[in-house]
Structures are given as C-alpha cells and as structure tokens.
C-alpha cells in the first residue's frame, strides 16, 4: 500500500494577475504547472505522490471566476471558481436549478464545500464527480480560455477518461453555462456513498424530465450516471424508452434496466461492481419515479 507523503512536495505558488499571464504560465511550464482552485483534489493527489507540479497557478481572483449570473434568456452562468456552498445558496440557483443544489450539497461536508469549486469538480474529471451528471442532463456548456481566445465545450464532450478532460495544453476552464432547461422541467440527483456524512459516490444518478408534445409519451427524460463507468455518462437508451412509451411503473423499470446495462462499473475500495450495478438500477428507478410524480402533479 502506498502511504501519503509526510508533507506536500515543494512548489511555487503564483497568483495570476490576468488570464493572459495564467495562459502564458501554462504554456511555458507545460505539465509542470497546474491550475489551483480549492485544492481539495489537487493537494490530495500531491500528498499521495501522484502529482508533483513545480508551479500552482491560482486563477480564482480573475474577473468573472467567482460570479453567478442568471437570466431567463441565457440561463445560469457560473464562474469556474464558484464554491459548492456559494452555488447551493444562490437564490436563482435555489429557484430555477434545484437539481444543481441537490448535486452540490451531496459533495463531502459543509466545510469542504466552502473550498471545493464547481470548476475543480468538473476539471478533475473523476468518474465519481457529483456535479458532472447534473452538467450532462442540463446540457451545460463549458468555456475554455486559451491563447486563441475562448471556445465552448459541451459537457457531453468534456469528460475523456478518468482524470482526463477536453481542455488542451495552455487552456483553463473559465465558466460553465447551464442553458435554460425546457419549460416545466423537474430533476433529482440521488447518490449512495459509504456514509451519510459525505463521501465520494458509489453510484450517482441525475434524472430530469419535462413535458414535450413531440414525444410519443408526451414527456422526455434525461439520465446521467456517476461512478459506474470510466467517465460520467448519459444513458440515451433509457431516455428513448421513456420518450417512446406511455410512462408507467413498468416503463420506468425498463428504463432503469437500460441504465443498468449501460453501466460498466468496477470493484474498488468503495464498493463491488455487482453492488454498483444493482444500485444503478434502483437509484435510476427511484429518481425517475420522483421526477415523474412531480411532473404529473403539474400536468
Ligand atoms: C474528504 C474529501 C471528500 C470529497 N468528497 C467528494 C464528494 O462527495 N463528491 C465529489 O464529487 N468530490 C468529492 N471530493 C473531491 C473534491 O472535493 C471535488 O472534486 C472538488 O469540487 C474539487 O474542486 P477544487 O476547487 O478543490 O479543485 P482543485 O483541487 O483545486 O483542482 C482539481 C483539479 O482540476 C484542475 N483544475 C481546477 N480548476 C481548473 C480550471 N478552472 N481550469 C483547468 N483546470 C482546473 C486542477 O489543476 C486539478 O488538477 C472530495 C475530496 C475530499 C478531500
């Protein structure tokens, strides 16, 4: 077993005074430089000896990095350095994006959420990242900033593998836009960890649903899973079952089974693949049943 180092390895800390300076540093130093946000993932990996960057580039102070802006036209724009707690107590987020509140509040403890950022959670690209399934079902767009300016990356294309995201060398994530979801939508994030006090997900399931007259069932659902595949995933097969068939308990069960089939979990210290597999089905079923019950109330 690998033991953590007695202390963090040596590194230089640079608080970038501009986006250009941060990009220059990332380009100049390459893999020897890392962006620092809350450090709740980064310092753990450095302490474990998995990473030993020479330079940590702090960009939390750059303009827009810690702001939350909502408009009915453009949806919710969240700076990458917004902490989990700041997001979860923002009145617009509470009002219009309760799914995001549920996802962020499932992360670790209140104390950790005071430092942990939404951008850090997504950039860390852990298969277990709790805000990733919400980003997938809300079809968020991530803005990367680099030497050529800004580019937008759909959440569906952001997660490339365990710990690997779609940012290119010299780029950083500046903000996340959660586009305005369809009218009348409802959502849930359900998670199982090893304890109720906050732990990485054994399984996480985000479900959202909304009325859609163009769908044969009159409704569409989106489902995304955490911690059961090399990246967080959307489950289009299950979504299609719910769009094509009148929603009943049996159809919800069929969709939950499709989610289970899409999962490719592994055994690890937190749970066996077999347990994860069973829980994907159960959490998807529960999430769909909850969302369907809320949709029916307003139908
Ligand atoms: C005790 C404990 C419990 C935890 N529980 C949970 C949990 O329940 N659920 C969960 O999802 N996570 C959990 N985590 C993991 C962690 O807290 C979250 O992933 C957190 O959101 C990371 O954010 P951060 O700001 O600390 O990122 P950092 O640690 O600062 O950064 C994480 C990684 O992303 C890179 N990065 C960060 N921001 C950017 C950016 N803007 N552009 C480019 N690269 C960037 C960094 O270089 C680093 O590699 C836990 C961690 C600990 C220590």
């Amino acid at each position: 077993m690998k033991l953590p180092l007695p202390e963090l390895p040596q590194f230089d800390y640079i608080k970038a005074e501009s986006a250009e300076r941060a990009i220059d540093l990332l380009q100049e130093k390459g893999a020897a430089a890392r962006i620092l946000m809350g450090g709740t993932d980064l310092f753990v990996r450095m302490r474990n000896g998995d990473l030993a960057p020479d330079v940590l580039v702090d960009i939390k102070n750059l303009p827009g990095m810690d702001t939350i802006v909502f408009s009915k036209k453009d949806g919710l724009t969240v700076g990458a350095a917004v902490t989990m707690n700041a997001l979860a107590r923002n009145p617009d987020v509470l009002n219009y994006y309760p799914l995001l509140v549920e996802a962020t509040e499932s992360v670790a403890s209140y104390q950790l959420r005071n430092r942990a950022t939404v951008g850090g959670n997504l950039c860390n690209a852990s298969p277990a990242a709790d805000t990733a399934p919400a980003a997938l079902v809300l079809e968020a767009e991530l803005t990367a900033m680099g030497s050529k300016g800004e580019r937008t990356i759909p959440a569906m294309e952001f997660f490339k593998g365990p710990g690997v995201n779609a940012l290119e060398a010299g780029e950083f994530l500046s903000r996340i836009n959660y586009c305005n979801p369809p009218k009348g939508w409802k959502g849930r994030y359900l998670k199982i960890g090893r304890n109720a006090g906050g732990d990485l997900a054994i399984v996480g399931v985000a479900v959202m649903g909304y009325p859609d007259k163009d769908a044969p069932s009159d409704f569409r659902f989106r489902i995304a899973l955490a911690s059961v595949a090399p990246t967080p995933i959307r489950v289009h097969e299950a979504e299609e079952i719910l769009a094509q068939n009148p929603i009943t308990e049996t159809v919800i069960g069929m969709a939950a089974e499709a989610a289970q089939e899409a999962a490719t979990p592994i055994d690890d210290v937190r749970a066996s693949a077999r347990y994860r597999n069973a829980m994907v089905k159960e959490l998807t079923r529960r999430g769909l049943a909850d969302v369907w019950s809320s949709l029916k109330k307003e139908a």
Side-chain angles (χ1 to χ4, degrees), residues 203-267:
V203 175
V205 179
V207 173
M208 67 96 87
Y210 55 95
D212 182 350
K213 289 282 163 228
D214 292 336
S217 71
D218 285 341
F219 291 89
R220 284 197 191 273
F221 288 78
R222 299 181 196 155
I223 303 167
L225 313 177
S227 218
V228 291
T231 64
I233 53 167
R234 268 281 288 272
V235 199
H236 296 292
E237 304 81 355
E239 296 174 3
E240 210 39 41
I241 290 171
L242 295 153
Q244 296 302 330
N245 300 282
I247 312 296
T248 60
E249 226 174 273
T250 310
V251 168
I252 286 177
M254 283 160 58
E257 265 168 34
Q260 184 182 32
E261 275 162 33
T264 53
I266 54 166
D267 293 320

Side-chain angles (χ1 to χ4, degrees), residues 34-42 44 59 65 80 84 106-108 112 115-117 119-121 123-124 128-130 167 172-173 191 199-200:
R34 301 281 307 199
I35 294 288
L36 171 69
M37 300 293 248
T40 62
D41 274 314
L42 187 56
V44 174
I59 55 170
M65 288 296 284
M84 301 284 181
S106 80
V107 172
L112 192 120
R115 278 220 61 89
T117 65
N121 193 241
C123 287
N124 196 53
D130 279 312
L167 293 174
F172 67 83
L173 177 70
K191 165 180 173 179
D199 187 24
L200 285 172

Side-chain angles (χ1 to χ4, degrees), residues 7-21:
E7 57 190 23
L8 280 172
Q10 289 280 321
F11 60 87
D12 287 334
Y13 167 86
I14 299 180
K15 187 168 179 174
E17 67 278 8
S18 66
E20 293 71 29
R21 171 78 173 126

Side-chain angles (χ1 to χ4, degrees), residues 45-278:
R45 293 187 69 196
M46 288 169 67
R47 186 85 200 274
N48 283 345
D50 299 331
L51 286 175
D54 296 335
V55 181
L56 296 188
V57 185
D58 188 341
I59 55 170
K60 291 193 283 290
N61 59 311
L62 297 181
M65 288 296 284
D66 68 347
T67 57
I68 301 175
V69 179
F70 172 74
S71 85
K72 290 212 166 140
K73 181 169 161 278
D74 299 325
L76 184 76
T77 302
V78 177
V82 168
T83 64
M84 301 284 181
N85 278 347
L87 189 72
R89 65 174 172 247
N90 178 278
D92 287 324
V93 181
L94 283 160
N95 212 1
Y96 298 109
Y97 295 82
L99 170 61
L100 274 181
V101 176
E102 200 168 20
T104 48
E105 287 193 331
S106 80
V107 172
S109 59
Y110 184 87
Q111 288 85 343
L112 192 120
R113 295 195 295 271
N114 257 349
R115 278 220 61 89
T117 65
V118 183
N121 193 241
L122 297 173
C123 287
N124 196 53
S126 160
D130 279 312
T131 69
L136 290 176
V137 298
L138 291 170
E139 300 190 338
E141 294 186 333
L142 287 75
T143 301
M145 200 176 264
S147 57
K148 294 184 201 133
E150 290 187 342
R151 71 183 176 105
T152 301
I153 310 169
M156 275 300 287
E157 293 165 24
F158 191 72
F159 307 105
K160 296 294 185 194
V164 184
N165 63 44
L167 293 174
E168 287 170 6
E171 284 185 332
F172 67 83
L173 177 70
S174 59
R175 59 183 184 276
I176 305 117
N177 179 253
Y178 302 92
C179 329
N180 241 332
K183 210 166 168 264
W185 76 284
K186 305 286 172 203
R188 287 293 325 261
Y189 181 65
L190 301 182
K191 165 180 173 179
I192 297 183
R194 282 171 302 185
N195 56 58
D199 187 24
L200 285 172
I202 288 173
V203 175
V205 179
V207 173
M208 67 96 87
Y210 55 95
D212 182 350
K213 289 282 163 228
D214 292 336
S217 71
D218 285 341
F219 291 89
R220 284 197 191 273
F221 288 78
R222 299 181 196 155
I223 303 167
L225 313 177
S227 218
V228 291
T231 64
I233 53 167
R234 268 281 288 272
V235 199
H236 296 292
E237 304 81 355
E239 296 174 3
E240 210 39 41
I241 290 171
L242 295 153
Q244 296 302 330
N245 300 282
I247 312 296
T248 60
E249 226 174 273
T250 310
V251 168
I252 286 177
M254 283 160 58
E257 265 168 34
Q260 184 182 32
E261 275 162 33
T264 53
I266 54 166
D267 293 320
D268 70 9
V269 289
R270 292 198 299 283
S272 66
R274 196 157 160 254
Y275 180 69
R276 284 191 156 100
N277 216 278

